[in-house]
Amino acid sequence: MGKNNRAGKRLRLIPLILGGYGAFLGLGLVIMGFVQIREGIGIVRFLIGLGMTGFGLLGIWDGVRDLVRPNKKLNQAPTIQFILTDTYGNKSSLVTPELLQKQMEILAEGNEYKHFDLQILPYLPAKEHNGMLKQITCVCRCDMILMAFFEMPENGYQIYQKSMNIDMAVEWLRQLLAGNPDFSEWENSKVLAQQDKEIVSQNEENAQWDEVDDRQEDVEDIVSFCHQLLTNQKGQMTYWRQFLVIFGESWHDEHKFFSARDVELAIEGIYERKYQKVFLEWGTQAFDLFPGIQNELMVIWCTNNTEKGDIRFFAREGTVTQVKFWLVNYLDHGFFEEISGWVDITAQIEKAKRKGEKKHGKVF
């Protein structure tokens, strides 16, 4: 028996009605008792009336308190999920400062140009740069260099970086895991590269050519490395997205955070007929999994899933073990080692789509 107004505050009708009725009767008894105060029954009525009036007023307050009291609901920040891709390409959602410090020590000991990535889900707003923090990448060039990838309101990207020693880097990442990163002293990679070019031109007559050239090469390598991480094979800027949806007979379950093992369990569920369909979106690719003929599963692979055209569809059937191998390998490496078995069904998909639009109208 509650009624919601536009502000979302509820009016409690039952305690309000009972409270009003009780207060009315209580006031009546108080008046009657006050008139007969010199008689014994008058005192009893007066005291009972006071009690009923008090409970009635309490009921009225309980009925209207949500409308009277100011709304003090706290704006809770969404739970932040961190996905670590370590120096060997393994993914993990169990991220701790100690684990990140071990990754930095691996970078410092190795001679190869390795890196590890820390993906933030959902994207974390950063007021210093008016963008959404998407990912942190760490590389080692003498010092640790942390690079922050920001998605800007205009759908573009900005890359900021900062050099620091391992202890400072671990402390900064500790603040990030707590949801309070500080970007006040970070520098734009493009601006930093331009500044170093100016330094080179200003020091043309100096004898410190080797030091300046080394610094310039480091900055250019880092800037080039950053943009390689943000572009796909065709040179287009990409957005990262991961999404797993499991469909049953009359239900579906959505997962924004999941592991490769979750995907394997979903594949097993289709084989065992527990699920009717599984949809997996990973980066710019998407996959639909259906039960196939006999013991095989059907996989529909949608490439370039960015809503910008040039979308291709491929199909392939395989056993449970084969499908697990294909998809887990793709999650780990971002590509299929063997694509000769995939059949291009783009024409059939587009034909079916046109037929559906002709029959039911175009769906926007």
Side-chain angles (χ1 to χ4, degrees):
M1 293 292 295
K3 183 178 181 180
N4 295 330
N5 62 6
R6 293 183 179 179
K9 298 182 178 180
R10 189 170 63 175
L11 180 66
R12 305 172 189 270
L13 292 181
I14 291 180
L16 179 61
I17 294 173
L18 295 179
Y21 183 66
F24 175 75
L25 293 180
L27 286 175
L29 287 175
V30 168
I31 295 173
M32 293 176 60
F34 184 77
V35 172
Q36 303 172 350
I37 193 66
R38 294 184 180 183
E39 303 178 9
I41 191 64
I43 296 175
V44 174
R45 287 174 176 174
F46 182 79
L47 294 177
I48 294 176
L50 286 178
M52 291 184 65
T53 302
F55 281 109
L57 294 176
L58 182 61
I60 293 173
W61 167 250
D62 187 47
V64 301
R65 61 181 178 175
D66 286 347
L67 296 177
V68 176
R69 291 191 304 182
N71 189 2
K72 295 183 178 180
K73 291 183 179 179
L74 298 177
N75 294 325
Q76 298 181 351
T79 303
I80 303 176
Q81 175 78 14
F82 297 93
I83 307 298
L84 172 67
T85 305
D86 63 18
T87 54
Y88 300 103
N90 301 318
K91 294 183 181 293
S92 174
S93 59
L94 299 176
V95 183
T96 63
E98 294 73 20
L99 178 60
L100 297 177
Q101 182 173 359
K102 291 182 180 180
Q103 290 295 307
M104 292 183 187
E105 292 173 354
I106 294 175
L107 294 178
E109 294 173 357
N111 296 323
E112 300 179 6
Y113 200 51
K114 292 184 177 180
H115 68 281
F116 68 82
D117 304 321
L118 194 62
Q119 184 186 359
I120 298 94
L121 296 171
Y123 298 165
L124 188 64
K127 58 182 180 180
E128 294 91 345
H129 304 300
N130 191 30
M132 304 294 288
L133 178 63
K134 172 182 177 180
Q135 177 178 304
I136 295 292
T137 295
C138 182
V139 297
C140 181
R141 301 284 278 185
C142 297
D143 287 335
M144 290 294 158
I145 300 177
L146 296 180
M147 295 175 291
F149 297 78
F150 291 95
E151 183 174 330
M152 309 309 290
E154 299 80 12
N155 297 325
Y157 289 90
Q158 291 290 338
I159 306 170
Y160 287 81
Q161 68 182 67
K162 186 177 181 180
S163 299
M164 56 189 83
N165 57 40
I166 291 182
D167 294 335
M168 292 177 60
V170 171
E171 181 59 30
W172 189 92
L173 290 173
R174 190 187 303 273
Q175 296 177 7
L176 173 64
L177 296 181
N180 300 308
D182 180 14
F183 292 100
S184 57
E185 298 180 358
W186 287 55
E187 300 177 279
N188 190 301
S189 295
K190 291 184 179 180
V191 175
L192 187 62
Q194 183 62 34
Q195 290 176 350
D196 280 273
K197 290 181 180 179
E198 295 176 357
I199 292 175
V200 172
S201 62
Q202 292 174 1
N203 289 275
E204 287 181 350
E205 299 179 358
N206 294 344
Q208 301 176 351
W209 271 102
D210 293 339
E211 179 180 354
V212 174
D213 286 346
D214 290 342
R215 182 184 178 188
Q216 175 68 9
E217 290 178 0
D218 288 348
V219 173
E220 290 181 349
D221 288 345
I222 292 172
V223 173
S224 175
F225 175 75
C226 292
H227 286 281
Q228 288 177 7
L229 292 176
L230 283 177
T231 56
N232 58 20
Q233 295 179 352
K234 296 184 179 180
Q236 299 172 337
M237 300 299 288
T238 63
Y239 69 99
W240 187 259
R241 177 175 168 83
Q242 60 181 39
F243 198 46
L244 177 66
V245 187
I246 301 173
F247 293 87
E249 184 176 354
S250 59
W251 57 271
H252 72 278
D253 194 8
E254 299 180 355
H255 301 272
K256 293 183 179 179
F257 313 119
F258 56 90
S259 64
R261 180 54 183 163
D262 296 325
V263 176
E264 290 181 334
L265 293 174
I267 295 172
E268 293 175 1
I270 293 181
Y271 172 72
E272 296 170 358
R273 295 300 195 271
K274 294 179 180 178
Y275 312 137
Q276 294 184 341
K277 172 187 174 182
V278 169
F279 173 76
L280 171 64
E281 189 171 1
W282 190 260
T284 59
Q285 314 292 317
F287 305 90
D288 287 289
L289 288 80
F290 303 90
I293 301 175
Q294 295 182 353
N295 293 329
E296 294 195 338
L297 279 70
M298 171 63 72
V299 182
I300 306 296
W301 172 24
C302 174
T303 69
N304 193 28
N305 184 35
T306 58
E307 299 181 356
K308 295 182 179 180
D310 193 25
I311 299 178
R312 309 294 296 177
F313 294 90
F314 298 88
R316 189 174 185 181
E317 283 191 330
T319 64
V320 174
T321 304
Q322 289 175 324
V323 174
K324 284 183 181 180
F325 176 78
W326 299 338
L327 293 184
V328 172
N329 183 74
Y330 186 86
L331 296 182
D332 290 338
H333 303 289
F335 60 90
F336 292 114
E337 294 183 355
E338 179 61 47
I339 62 173
S340 60
W342 294 88
V343 179
D344 192 334
I345 61 171
T346 306
Q348 294 93 310
I349 295 291
E350 292 179 349
K351 182 179 179 180
K353 182 179 179 181
R354 289 193 299 267
K355 185 178 180 180
E357 291 177 353
K358 184 177 180 181
K359 183 177 181 181
H360 303 288
K362 190 172 183 180
V363 179
F364 292 92

